Amino acid sequence: MAVAEFLDTAQGRRLAYHKSEGAGPTVVFLGGLKSDMEGTKAVHLEAWAKERGQAFLRFDYSGHGESGGAFEEGCIGDWHEDTAAAVAELTEGPLIVVGSSMGGWQALLLAKMMPDRIAGLVTIAAAPDFTEDGYWASFTDAQKQALEEVGRVELPSDYMEPYIITKRMIEDGRARLVLRSPLELPFPVRFLQGTEDTAVSTATAVRLLEHASGPDMRLLLVKDADHRFSDGPCLGLIEQAVLDVMNAS
């Protein structure tokens, strides 16, 4: 297994990454909340890109994986800064951005920040605005009170240990919402979504498709696929989506 390299950002965070050189556009993988760059989709896409001789970047947000910092101290804005720093320092030229779950929100934030560099966008179970529409909207009065008084609440997860959700994450998320204002995506876009996803609903995927505007945008619903979207057929669909936006750009 290759040893990770590290990038020190202007915000004082230390990010672990793996970068492989090759032809452009560079494929950049953005992982989900509490996920890391050793996940099935990230590693598979890297191997696929290497076989094609294509440049590729995967990295861990601060508080995730091999990067420095504590998860509980982070928020959407911090991870957006991490993404922007990794892209600015470690890539050149056009990008194909692939965002999974929370990484889908990060991909949309990156698209708003630097649309001229993005040649294509693929999301997998994208979770835009989930701190507001998922967490805050479902909190009980007791949880909202705990968030205000204690500064955090603990939520169970289907996939790992409970999430610690902080007041800072909720408040920062409100400053990063992408479904409340125009979202222009002026490049080929493919949204992938499983119908058996218990973390992100198909309604969220449809809402994103209907809200965003752009010249070439499609949503693929995959019957019975779950949030991981990482079995053999799903990985093949991700590859095809990346090729699709690359060839259309």
Side-chain angles (χ1 to χ4, degrees):
M1 184 183 297
V3 176
E5 298 181 81
F6 289 87
L7 169 69
D8 293 311
T9 73
Q11 293 81 21
R13 297 192 282 269
R14 188 168 175 78
L15 307 181
Y17 71 91
H18 287 277
K19 175 186 175 184
S20 47
E21 302 294 343
T26 301
V27 178
V28 178
F29 186 83
L30 304 179
L33 189 74
K34 292 201 84 173
S35 184
D36 61 52
M37 62 176 172
E38 297 302 328
T40 302
K41 294 185 288 293
V43 172
H44 177 87
L45 267 184
E46 179 184 64
W48 176 81
K50 284 182 175 179
E51 285 182 6
R52 290 174 44 83
Q54 189 120 23
F56 184 88
L57 173 68
R58 58 186 168 104
F59 67 95
D60 286 330
Y61 311 112
S62 53
H64 290 68
E66 297 179 68
S67 290
F71 171 79
E72 292 81 5
E73 296 174 0
C75 61
I76 301 301
D78 290 349
W79 303 323
H80 171 57
E81 290 173 349
D82 294 345
T83 302
V87 165
E89 296 294 328
L90 303 173
T91 71
E92 295 179 353
L95 307 171
I96 301 293
V97 181
V98 182
S100 175
S101 193
M102 190 270 284
W105 188 358
Q106 293 295 339
L108 296 170
L109 290 171
L110 191 68
K112 288 170 70 84
M113 181 186 191
M114 51 178 71
D116 293 344
R117 286 202 58 194
I118 297 181
L121 176 66
V122 176
T123 68
I124 306 149
D129 300 7
F130 73 85
T131 53
E132 192 71 14
D133 298 332
Y135 292 157
W136 181 256
S138 65
F139 282 171
T140 63
D141 288 343
Q143 287 174 314
K144 290 179 179 180
Q145 184 175 354
L147 199 70
E148 190 63 39
E149 295 178 354
V150 183
R152 56 168 48 191
V153 294
E154 191 173 288
L155 298 182
S157 166
D158 290 343
Y159 298 100
M160 58 193 79
E161 70 273 7
Y163 289 145
I164 301 298
I165 305 304
T166 64
K167 182 180 179 181
R168 178 171 182 254
M169 182 185 285
I170 296 295
E171 292 181 342
D172 176 84
R174 285 193 183 123
R176 311 283 174 177
L177 302 176
V178 294
L179 297 178
R180 271 79 170 168
S181 58
L183 179 61
E184 177 66 27
L185 304 175
F187 34 73
V189 179
R190 303 292 179 265
F191 302 126
L192 307 179
Q193 175 71 41
T195 64
E196 293 303 307
D197 189 331
T198 58
V200 177
S201 68
T202 54
T204 298
V206 171
R207 181 184 177 196
L208 174 57
L209 177 73
E210 292 179 339
H211 176 75
S213 57
D216 182 4
M217 194 177 306
R218 301 174 197 172
L219 166 62
L220 177 65
L221 295 178
V222 182
K223 187 171 177 60
D224 297 332
D226 64 14
H227 190 63
R228 290 186 177 92
F229 210 87
S230 57
D231 63 12
C234 286
L235 293 174
L237 290 172
I238 296 170
E239 292 175 13
Q240 185 55 52
V242 172
L243 284 175
D244 202 18
V245 297
M246 204 178 300
N247 293 334
S249 61

PDB file of all heavy atoms in Angstrom, residues 76-115:
ATOM      1  N   ILE A  76     -18.754  21.778   7.812  1.00  0.00           N
ATOM      2  CA  ILE A  76     -18.817  21.799   6.351  1.00  0.00           C
ATOM      3  C   ILE A  76     -17.842  22.830   5.778  1.00  0.00           C
ATOM      4  O   ILE A  76     -17.145  22.566   4.794  1.00  0.00           O
ATOM      5  CB  ILE A  76     -20.252  22.108   5.879  1.00  0.00           C
ATOM      6  CG1 ILE A  76     -21.240  21.053   6.415  1.00  0.00           C
ATOM      7  CG2 ILE A  76     -20.309  22.171   4.358  1.00  0.00           C
ATOM      8  CD1 ILE A  76     -20.943  19.633   6.005  1.00  0.00           C
ATOM      9  N   GLY A  77     -17.782  23.996   6.381  1.00  0.00           N
ATOM     10  CA  GLY A  77     -16.900  25.050   5.890  1.00  0.00           C
ATOM     11  C   GLY A  77     -15.431  24.691   5.998  1.00  0.00           C
ATOM     12  O   GLY A  77     -14.632  24.991   5.097  1.00  0.00           O
ATOM     13  N   ASP A  78     -15.050  24.023   7.091  1.00  0.00           N
ATOM     14  CA  ASP A  78     -13.658  23.577   7.234  1.00  0.00           C
ATOM     15  C   ASP A  78     -13.307  22.610   6.115  1.00  0.00           C
ATOM     16  O   ASP A  78     -12.231  22.694   5.505  1.00  0.00           O
ATOM     17  CB  ASP A  78     -13.458  22.867   8.572  1.00  0.00           C
ATOM     18  CG  ASP A  78     -13.527  23.816   9.768  1.00  0.00           C
ATOM     19  OD1 ASP A  78     -13.522  25.043   9.564  1.00  0.00           O
ATOM     20  OD2 ASP A  78     -13.587  23.312  10.902  1.00  0.00           O
ATOM     21  N   TRP A  79     -14.206  21.676   5.862  1.00  0.00           N
ATOM     22  CA  TRP A  79     -13.912  20.649   4.851  1.00  0.00           C
ATOM     23  C   TRP A  79     -13.974  21.236   3.446  1.00  0.00           C
ATOM     24  O   TRP A  79     -13.292  20.747   2.541  1.00  0.00           O
ATOM     25  CB  TRP A  79     -14.857  19.465   5.052  1.00  0.00           C
ATOM     26  CG  TRP A  79     -14.725  18.917   6.459  1.00  0.00           C
ATOM     27  CD1 TRP A  79     -13.559  18.810   7.190  1.00  0.00           C
ATOM     28  CD2 TRP A  79     -15.763  18.450   7.321  1.00  0.00           C
ATOM     29  NE1 TRP A  79     -13.814  18.308   8.439  1.00  0.00           N
ATOM     30  CE2 TRP A  79     -15.151  18.069   8.560  1.00  0.00           C
ATOM     31  CE3 TRP A  79     -17.129  18.290   7.184  1.00  0.00           C
ATOM     32  CZ2 TRP A  79     -15.886  17.564   9.630  1.00  0.00           C
ATOM     33  CZ3 TRP A  79     -17.856  17.789   8.246  1.00  0.00           C
ATOM     34  CH2 TRP A  79     -17.242  17.421   9.454  1.00  0.00           C
ATOM     35  N   HIS A  80     -14.751  22.285   3.275  1.00  0.00           N
ATOM     36  CA  HIS A  80     -14.719  23.015   2.002  1.00  0.00           C
ATOM     37  C   HIS A  80     -13.364  23.695   1.821  1.00  0.00           C
ATOM     38  O   HIS A  80     -12.782  23.659   0.726  1.00  0.00           O
ATOM     39  CB  HIS A  80     -15.845  24.052   1.971  1.00  0.00           C
ATOM     40  CG  HIS A  80     -15.773  24.988   0.807  1.00  0.00           C
ATOM     41  ND1 HIS A  80     -15.758  24.564  -0.513  1.00  0.00           N
ATOM     42  CD2 HIS A  80     -15.682  26.344   0.752  1.00  0.00           C
ATOM     43  CE1 HIS A  80     -15.678  25.612  -1.313  1.00  0.00           C
ATOM     44  NE2 HIS A  80     -15.629  26.700  -0.571  1.00  0.00           N
ATOM     45  N   GLU A  81     -12.843  24.305   2.874  1.00  0.00           N
ATOM     46  CA  GLU A  81     -11.507  24.904   2.806  1.00  0.00           C
ATOM     47  C   GLU A  81     -10.450  23.842   2.517  1.00  0.00           C
ATOM     48  O   GLU A  81      -9.512  24.084   1.740  1.00  0.00           O
ATOM     49  CB  GLU A  81     -11.179  25.609   4.116  1.00  0.00           C
ATOM     50  CG  GLU A  81     -11.984  26.871   4.361  1.00  0.00           C
ATOM     51  CD  GLU A  81     -11.760  27.468   5.743  1.00  0.00           C
ATOM     52  OE1 GLU A  81     -11.142  26.799   6.609  1.00  0.00           O
ATOM     53  OE2 GLU A  81     -12.202  28.616   5.963  1.00  0.00           O
ATOM     54  N   ASP A  82     -10.599  22.669   3.125  1.00  0.00           N
ATOM     55  CA  ASP A  82      -9.662  21.574   2.856  1.00  0.00           C
ATOM     56  C   ASP A  82      -9.714  21.180   1.378  1.00  0.00           C
ATOM     57  O   ASP A  82      -8.670  20.972   0.739  1.00  0.00           O
ATOM     58  CB  ASP A  82     -10.017  20.347   3.701  1.00  0.00           C
ATOM     59  CG  ASP A  82      -9.826  20.558   5.194  1.00  0.00           C
ATOM     60  OD1 ASP A  82      -9.161  21.543   5.589  1.00  0.00           O
ATOM     61  OD2 ASP A  82     -10.352  19.738   5.970  1.00  0.00           O
ATOM     62  N   THR A  83     -10.924  21.053   0.856  1.00  0.00           N
ATOM     63  CA  THR A  83     -11.094  20.670  -0.549  1.00  0.00           C
ATOM     64  C   THR A  83     -10.480  21.705  -1.479  1.00  0.00           C
ATOM     65  O   THR A  83      -9.749  21.363  -2.421  1.00  0.00           O
ATOM     66  CB  THR A  83     -12.593  20.499  -0.869  1.00  0.00           C
ATOM     67  OG1 THR A  83     -13.149  19.507  -0.007  1.00  0.00           O
ATOM     68  CG2 THR A  83     -12.809  20.095  -2.307  1.00  0.00           C
ATOM     69  N   ALA A  84     -10.754  22.974  -1.203  1.00  0.00           N
ATOM     70  CA  ALA A  84     -10.219  24.050  -2.039  1.00  0.00           C
ATOM     71  C   ALA A  84      -8.697  24.063  -2.002  1.00  0.00           C
ATOM     72  O   ALA A  84      -8.025  24.255  -3.028  1.00  0.00           O
ATOM     73  CB  ALA A  84     -10.786  25.391  -1.589  1.00  0.00           C
ATOM     74  N   ALA A  85      -8.129  23.832  -0.812  1.00  0.00           N
ATOM     75  CA  ALA A  85      -6.671  23.828  -0.668  1.00  0.00           C
ATOM     76  C   ALA A  85      -6.058  22.659  -1.422  1.00  0.00           C
ATOM     77  O   ALA A  85      -5.041  22.812  -2.119  1.00  0.00           O
ATOM     78  CB  ALA A  85      -6.288  23.768   0.808  1.00  0.00           C
ATOM     79  N   ALA A  86      -6.641  21.477  -1.284  1.00  0.00           N
ATOM     80  CA  ALA A  86      -6.109  20.297  -1.963  1.00  0.00           C
ATOM     81  C   ALA A  86      -6.141  20.476  -3.474  1.00  0.00           C
ATOM     82  O   ALA A  86      -5.167  20.168  -4.174  1.00  0.00           O
ATOM     83  CB  ALA A  86      -6.897  19.054  -1.555  1.00  0.00           C
ATOM     84  N   VAL A  87      -7.254  20.991  -3.977  1.00  0.00           N
ATOM     85  CA  VAL A  87      -7.379  21.203  -5.417  1.00  0.00           C
ATOM     86  C   VAL A  87      -6.397  22.266  -5.905  1.00  0.00           C
ATOM     87  O   VAL A  87      -5.727  22.098  -6.931  1.00  0.00           O
ATOM     88  CB  VAL A  87      -8.833  21.582  -5.768  1.00  0.00           C
ATOM     89  CG1 VAL A  87      -8.930  22.151  -7.174  1.00  0.00           C
ATOM     90  CG2 VAL A  87      -9.737  20.361  -5.620  1.00  0.00           C
ATOM     91  N   ALA A  88      -6.288  23.365  -5.160  1.00  0.00           N
ATOM     92  CA  ALA A  88      -5.405  24.460  -5.579  1.00  0.00           C
ATOM     93  C   ALA A  88      -3.935  24.055  -5.564  1.00  0.00           C
ATOM     94  O   ALA A  88      -3.170  24.416  -6.466  1.00  0.00           O
ATOM     95  CB  ALA A  88      -5.634  25.676  -4.687  1.00  0.00           C
ATOM     96  N   GLU A  89      -3.541  23.312  -4.537  1.00  0.00           N
ATOM     97  CA  GLU A  89      -2.126  22.991  -4.361  1.00  0.00           C
ATOM     98  C   GLU A  89      -1.679  21.736  -5.108  1.00  0.00           C
ATOM     99  O   GLU A  89      -0.505  21.601  -5.448  1.00  0.00           O
ATOM    100  CB  GLU A  89      -1.820  22.814  -2.868  1.00  0.00           C
ATOM    101  CG  GLU A  89      -2.007  24.070  -2.034  1.00  0.00           C
ATOM    102  CD  GLU A  89      -1.013  25.166  -2.390  1.00  0.00           C
ATOM    103  OE1 GLU A  89       0.130  24.843  -2.783  1.00  0.00           O
ATOM    104  OE2 GLU A  89      -1.398  26.349  -2.304  1.00  0.00           O
ATOM    105  N   LEU A  90      -2.603  20.814  -5.356  1.00  0.00           N
ATOM    106  CA  LEU A  90      -2.197  19.494  -5.836  1.00  0.00           C
ATOM    107  C   LEU A  90      -2.657  19.177  -7.254  1.00  0.00           C
ATOM    108  O   LEU A  90      -2.302  18.117  -7.788  1.00  0.00           O
ATOM    109  CB  LEU A  90      -2.724  18.416  -4.883  1.00  0.00           C
ATOM    110  CG  LEU A  90      -2.285  18.562  -3.417  1.00  0.00           C
ATOM    111  CD1 LEU A  90      -3.006  17.533  -2.546  1.00  0.00           C
ATOM    112  CD2 LEU A  90      -0.773  18.407  -3.288  1.00  0.00           C
ATOM    113  N   THR A  91      -3.443  20.049  -7.870  1.00  0.00           N
ATOM    114  CA  THR A  91      -3.917  19.789  -9.233  1.00  0.00           C
ATOM    115  C   THR A  91      -3.710  20.997 -10.120  1.00  0.00           C
ATOM    116  O   THR A  91      -3.572  22.127  -9.644  1.00  0.00           O
ATOM    117  CB  THR A  91      -5.413  19.416  -9.252  1.00  0.00           C
ATOM    118  OG1 THR A  91      -6.203  20.580  -8.937  1.00  0.00           O
ATOM    119  CG2 THR A  91      -5.744  18.312  -8.267  1.00  0.00           C
ATOM    120  N   GLU A  92      -3.714  20.723 -11.411  1.00  0.00           N
ATOM    121  CA  GLU A  92      -3.649  21.784 -12.418  1.00  0.00           C
ATOM    122  C   GLU A  92      -4.669  21.473 -13.506  1.00  0.00           C
ATOM    123  O   GLU A  92      -4.976  20.314 -13.764  1.00  0.00           O
ATOM    124  CB  GLU A  92      -2.252  21.859 -13.044  1.00  0.00           C
ATOM    125  CG  GLU A  92      -1.146  22.253 -12.088  1.00  0.00           C
ATOM    126  CD  GLU A  92       0.219  22.286 -12.769  1.00  0.00           C
ATOM    127  OE1 GLU A  92       0.298  21.865 -13.947  1.00  0.00           O
ATOM    128  OE2 GLU A  92       1.188  22.721 -12.132  1.00  0.00           O
ATOM    129  N   GLY A  93      -5.165  22.523 -14.146  1.00  0.00           N
ATOM    130  CA  GLY A  93      -6.036  22.327 -15.290  1.00  0.00           C
ATOM    131  C   GLY A  93      -7.427  21.845 -14.935  1.00  0.00           C
ATOM    132  O   GLY A  93      -7.863  21.917 -13.792  1.00  0.00           O
ATOM    133  N   PRO A  94      -8.128  21.307 -15.935  1.00  0.00           N
ATOM    134  CA  PRO A  94      -9.525  20.895 -15.751  1.00  0.00           C
ATOM    135  C   PRO A  94      -9.666  19.728 -14.776  1.00  0.00           C
ATOM    136  O   PRO A  94      -8.764  18.896 -14.640  1.00  0.00           O
ATOM    137  CB  PRO A  94      -9.962  20.469 -17.160  1.00  0.00           C
ATOM    138  CG  PRO A  94      -8.964  21.074 -18.087  1.00  0.00           C
ATOM    139  CD  PRO A  94      -7.686  21.148 -17.342  1.00  0.00           C
ATOM    140  N   LEU A  95     -10.834  19.682 -14.133  1.00  0.00           N
ATOM    141  CA  LEU A  95     -11.116  18.655 -13.126  1.00  0.00           C
ATOM    142  C   LEU A  95     -12.408  17.912 -13.461  1.00  0.00           C
ATOM    143  O   LEU A  95     -13.367  18.506 -13.954  1.00  0.00           O
ATOM    144  CB  LEU A  95     -11.288  19.291 -11.742  1.00  0.00           C
ATOM    145  CG  LEU A  95     -10.192  20.221 -11.227  1.00  0.00           C
ATOM    146  CD1 LEU A  95     -10.662  20.900  -9.943  1.00  0.00           C
ATOM    147  CD2 LEU A  95      -8.899  19.445 -10.991  1.00  0.00           C
ATOM    148  N   ILE A  96     -12.411  16.621 -13.163  1.00  0.00           N
ATOM    149  CA  ILE A  96     -13.652  15.850 -13.079  1.00  0.00           C
ATOM    150  C   ILE A  96     -13.833  15.550 -11.595  1.00  0.00           C
ATOM    151  O   ILE A  96     -13.038  14.822 -10.995  1.00  0.00           O
ATOM    152  CB  ILE A  96     -13.580  14.534 -13.870  1.00  0.00           C
ATOM    153  CG1 ILE A  96     -13.290  14.799 -15.358  1.00  0.00           C
ATOM    154  CG2 ILE A  96     -14.879  13.744 -13.690  1.00  0.00           C
ATOM    155  CD1 ILE A  96     -14.394  15.507 -16.103  1.00  0.00           C
ATOM    156  N   VAL A  97     -14.836  16.131 -10.984  1.00  0.00           N
ATOM    157  CA  VAL A  97     -15.035  16.000  -9.543  1.00  0.00           C
ATOM    158  C   VAL A  97     -16.084  14.930  -9.269  1.00  0.00           C
ATOM    159  O   VAL A  97     -17.190  14.974  -9.823  1.00  0.00           O
ATOM    160  CB  VAL A  97     -15.455  17.340  -8.921  1.00  0.00           C
ATOM    161  CG1 VAL A  97     -15.630  17.200  -7.419  1.00  0.00           C
ATOM    162  CG2 VAL A  97     -14.416  18.415  -9.231  1.00  0.00           C
ATOM    163  N   VAL A  98     -15.718  13.966  -8.409  1.00  0.00           N
ATOM    164  CA  VAL A  98     -16.616  12.886  -8.032  1.00  0.00           C
ATOM    165  C   VAL A  98     -16.862  12.990  -6.528  1.00  0.00           C
ATOM    166  O   VAL A  98     -15.940  12.826  -5.731  1.00  0.00           O
ATOM    167  CB  VAL A  98     -16.014  11.510  -8.373  1.00  0.00           C
ATOM    168  CG1 VAL A  98     -16.994  10.394  -8.007  1.00  0.00           C
ATOM    169  CG2 VAL A  98     -15.639  11.435  -9.849  1.00  0.00           C
ATOM    170  N   GLY A  99     -18.092  13.291  -6.142  1.00  0.00           N
ATOM    171  CA  GLY A  99     -18.399  13.497  -4.729  1.00  0.00           C
ATOM    172  C   GLY A  99     -19.406  12.490  -4.213  1.00  0.00           C
ATOM    173  O   GLY A  99     -20.471  12.300  -4.810  1.00  0.00           O
ATOM    174  N   SER A 100     -19.077  11.843  -3.097  1.00  0.00           N
ATOM    175  CA  SER A 100     -19.945  10.834  -2.502  1.00  0.00           C
ATOM    176  C   SER A 100     -20.576  11.352  -1.218  1.00  0.00           C
ATOM    177  O   SER A 100     -19.868  11.797  -0.315  1.00  0.00           O
ATOM    178  CB  SER A 100     -19.115   9.575  -2.211  1.00  0.00           C
ATOM    179  OG  SER A 100     -19.876   8.610  -1.529  1.00  0.00           O
ATOM    180  N   SER A 101     -21.909  11.292  -1.134  1.00  0.00           N
ATOM    181  CA  SER A 101     -22.641  11.687   0.067  1.00  0.00           C
ATOM    182  C   SER A 101     -22.302  13.135   0.465  1.00  0.00           C
ATOM    183  O   SER A 101     -22.546  14.059  -0.312  1.00  0.00           O
ATOM    184  CB  SER A 101     -22.355  10.695   1.205  1.00  0.00           C
ATOM    185  OG  SER A 101     -23.254  10.856   2.260  1.00  0.00           O
ATOM    186  N   MET A 102     -21.723  13.355   1.642  1.00  0.00           N
ATOM    187  CA  MET A 102     -21.315  14.718   2.003  1.00  0.00           C
ATOM    188  C   MET A 102     -20.341  15.283   0.969  1.00  0.00           C
ATOM    189  O   MET A 102     -20.319  16.487   0.712  1.00  0.00           O
ATOM    190  CB  MET A 102     -20.692  14.729   3.396  1.00  0.00           C
ATOM    191  CG  MET A 102     -20.447  16.120   3.989  1.00  0.00           C
ATOM    192  SD  MET A 102     -18.827  16.832   3.599  1.00  0.00           S
ATOM    193  CE  MET A 102     -17.774  15.905   4.711  1.00  0.00           C
ATOM    194  N   GLY A 103     -19.555  14.400   0.347  1.00  0.00           N
ATOM    195  CA  GLY A 103     -18.663  14.847  -0.722  1.00  0.00           C
ATOM    196  C   GLY A 103     -19.408  15.411  -1.915  1.00  0.00           C
ATOM    197  O   GLY A 103     -18.866  16.218  -2.670  1.00  0.00           O
ATOM    198  N   GLY A 104     -20.672  14.991  -2.081  1.00  0.00           N
ATOM    199  CA  GLY A 104     -21.495  15.595  -3.129  1.00  0.00           C
ATOM    200  C   GLY A 104     -21.785  17.059  -2.822  1.00  0.00           C
ATOM    201  O   GLY A 104     -21.761  17.910  -3.718  1.00  0.00           O
ATOM    202  N   TRP A 105     -22.076  17.354  -1.557  1.00  0.00           N
ATOM    203  CA  TRP A 105     -22.258  18.754  -1.132  1.00  0.00           C
ATOM    204  C   TRP A 105     -20.953  19.507  -1.344  1.00  0.00           C
ATOM    205  O   TRP A 105     -20.948  20.629  -1.884  1.00  0.00           O
ATOM    206  CB  TRP A 105     -22.681  18.777   0.331  1.00  0.00           C
ATOM    207  CG  TRP A 105     -23.096  20.112   0.880  1.00  0.00           C
ATOM    208  CD1 TRP A 105     -23.097  21.325   0.229  1.00  0.00           C
ATOM    209  CD2 TRP A 105     -23.589  20.372   2.205  1.00  0.00           C
ATOM    210  NE1 TRP A 105     -23.549  22.322   1.064  1.00  0.00           N
ATOM    211  CE2 TRP A 105     -23.869  21.768   2.284  1.00  0.00           C
ATOM    212  CE3 TRP A 105     -23.817  19.583   3.319  1.00  0.00           C
ATOM    213  CZ2 TRP A 105     -24.345  22.371   3.447  1.00  0.00           C
ATOM    214  CZ3 TRP A 105     -24.309  20.174   4.476  1.00  0.00           C
ATOM    215  CH2 TRP A 105     -24.573  21.550   4.530  1.00  0.00           C
ATOM    216  N   GLN A 106     -19.835  18.896  -0.955  1.00  0.00           N
ATOM    217  CA  GLN A 106     -18.543  19.545  -1.146  1.00  0.00           C
ATOM    218  C   GLN A 106     -18.260  19.798  -2.627  1.00  0.00           C
ATOM    219  O   GLN A 106     -17.706  20.844  -3.000  1.00  0.00           O
ATOM    220  CB  GLN A 106     -17.424  18.696  -0.533  1.00  0.00           C
ATOM    221  CG  GLN A 106     -17.471  18.602   0.982  1.00  0.00           C
ATOM    222  CD  GLN A 106     -17.226  19.929   1.661  1.00  0.00           C
ATOM    223  OE1 GLN A 106     -16.652  20.847   1.081  1.00  0.00           O
ATOM    224  NE2 GLN A 106     -17.658  20.048   2.902  1.00  0.00           N
ATOM    225  N   ALA A 107     -18.651  18.868  -3.486  1.00  0.00           N
ATOM    226  CA  ALA A 107     -18.450  19.045  -4.921  1.00  0.00           C
ATOM    227  C   ALA A 107     -19.248  20.238  -5.440  1.00  0.00           C
ATOM    228  O   ALA A 107     -18.767  21.018  -6.278  1.00  0.00           O
ATOM    229  CB  ALA A 107     -18.852  17.770  -5.663  1.00  0.00           C
ATOM    230  N   LEU A 108     -20.469  20.401  -4.931  1.00  0.00           N
ATOM    231  CA  LEU A 108     -21.308  21.530  -5.355  1.00  0.00           C
ATOM    232  C   LEU A 108     -20.732  22.857  -4.854  1.00  0.00           C
ATOM    233  O   LEU A 108     -20.756  23.863  -5.566  1.00  0.00           O
ATOM    234  CB  LEU A 108     -22.734  21.334  -4.851  1.00  0.00           C
ATOM    235  CG  LEU A 108     -23.457  20.109  -5.433  1.00  0.00           C
ATOM    236  CD1 LEU A 108     -24.764  19.866  -4.692  1.00  0.00           C
ATOM    237  CD2 LEU A 108     -23.699  20.276  -6.933  1.00  0.00           C
ATOM    238  N   LEU A 109     -20.207  22.869  -3.630  1.00  0.00           N
ATOM    239  CA  LEU A 109     -19.554  24.075  -3.109  1.00  0.00           C
ATOM    240  C   LEU A 109     -18.319  24.424  -3.949  1.00  0.00           C
ATOM    241  O   LEU A 109     -18.066  25.595  -4.252  1.00  0.00           O
ATOM    242  CB  LEU A 109     -19.161  23.881  -1.646  1.00  0.00           C
ATOM    243  CG  LEU A 109     -20.304  23.822  -0.640  1.00  0.00           C
ATOM    244  CD1 LEU A 109     -19.786  23.399   0.735  1.00  0.00           C
ATOM    245  CD2 LEU A 109     -21.021  25.174  -0.544  1.00  0.00           C
ATOM    246  N   LEU A 110     -17.558  23.399  -4.333  1.00  0.00           N
ATOM    247  CA  LEU A 110     -16.383  23.634  -5.174  1.00  0.00           C
ATOM    248  C   LEU A 110     -16.809  24.168  -6.541  1.00  0.00           C
ATOM    249  O   LEU A 110     -16.160  25.072  -7.093  1.00  0.00           O
ATOM    250  CB  LEU A 110     -15.597  22.330  -5.338  1.00  0.00           C
ATOM    251  CG  LEU A 110     -14.210  22.461  -5.969  1.00  0.00           C
ATOM    252  CD1 LEU A 110     -13.249  23.195  -5.039  1.00  0.00           C
ATOM    253  CD2 LEU A 110     -13.656  21.084  -6.323  1.00  0.00           C
ATOM    254  N   ALA A 111     -17.904  23.646  -7.064  1.00  0.00           N
ATOM    255  CA  ALA A 111     -18.405  24.106  -8.362  1.00  0.00           C
ATOM    256  C   ALA A 111     -18.819  25.574  -8.312  1.00  0.00           C
ATOM    257  O   ALA A 111     -18.615  26.320  -9.275  1.00  0.00           O
ATOM    258  CB  ALA A 111     -19.590  23.238  -8.799  1.00  0.00           C
ATOM    259  N   LYS A 112     -19.398  25.988  -7.201  1.00  0.00           N
ATOM    260  CA  LYS A 112     -19.764  27.400  -7.057  1.00  0.00           C
ATOM    261  C   LYS A 112     -18.514  28.278  -6.934  1.00  0.00           C
ATOM    262  O   LYS A 112     -18.508  29.426  -7.377  1.00  0.00           O
ATOM    263  CB  LYS A 112     -20.644  27.585  -5.812  1.00  0.00           C
ATOM    264  CG  LYS A 112     -22.050  27.039  -5.960  1.00  0.00           C
ATOM    265  CD  LYS A 112     -22.797  27.029  -4.633  1.00  0.00           C
ATOM    266  CE  LYS A 112     -23.149  28.428  -4.156  1.00  0.00           C
ATOM    267  NZ  LYS A 112     -24.390  28.931  -4.760  1.00  0.00           N
ATOM    268  N   MET A 113     -17.464  27.716  -6.338  1.00  0.00           N
ATOM    269  CA  MET A 113     -16.246  28.471  -6.082  1.00  0.00           C
ATOM    270  C   MET A 113     -15.381  28.615  -7.331  1.00  0.00           C
ATOM    271  O   MET A 113     -14.810  29.679  -7.582  1.00  0.00           O
ATOM    272  CB  MET A 113     -15.449  27.776  -4.980  1.00  0.00           C
ATOM    273  CG  MET A 113     -14.162  28.474  -4.597  1.00  0.00           C
ATOM    274  SD  MET A 113     -13.224  27.479  -3.402  1.00  0.00           S
ATOM    275  CE  MET A 113     -11.991  28.670  -2.888  1.00  0.00           C
ATOM    276  N   MET A 114     -15.255  27.540  -8.105  1.00  0.00           N
ATOM    277  CA  MET A 114     -14.361  27.562  -9.260  1.00  0.00           C
ATOM    278  C   MET A 114     -14.970  26.835 -10.458  1.00  0.00           C
ATOM    279  O   MET A 114     -14.443  25.820 -10.927  1.00  0.00           O
ATOM    280  CB  MET A 114     -13.001  26.961  -8.898  1.00  0.00           C
ATOM    281  CG  MET A 114     -13.036  25.604  -8.236  1.00  0.00           C
ATOM    282  SD  MET A 114     -11.360  24.938  -7.885  1.00  0.00           S
ATOM    283  CE  MET A 114     -10.807  25.993  -6.547  1.00  0.00           C
ATOM    284  N   PRO A 115     -16.102  27.340 -10.972  1.00  0.00           N
ATOM    285  CA  PRO A 115     -16.776  26.652 -12.088  1.00  0.00           C
ATOM    286  C   PRO A 115     -15.914  26.546 -13.341  1.00  0.00           C
ATOM    287  O   PRO A 115     -16.070  25.596 -14.123  1.00  0.00           O
ATOM    288  CB  PRO A 115     -18.021  27.513 -12.338  1.00  0.00           C
ATOM    289  CG  PRO A 115     -17.671  28.865 -11.777  1.00  0.00           C
ATOM    290  CD  PRO A 115     -16.812  28.578 -10.590  1.00  0.00           C
TER     291      PRO A 115
END
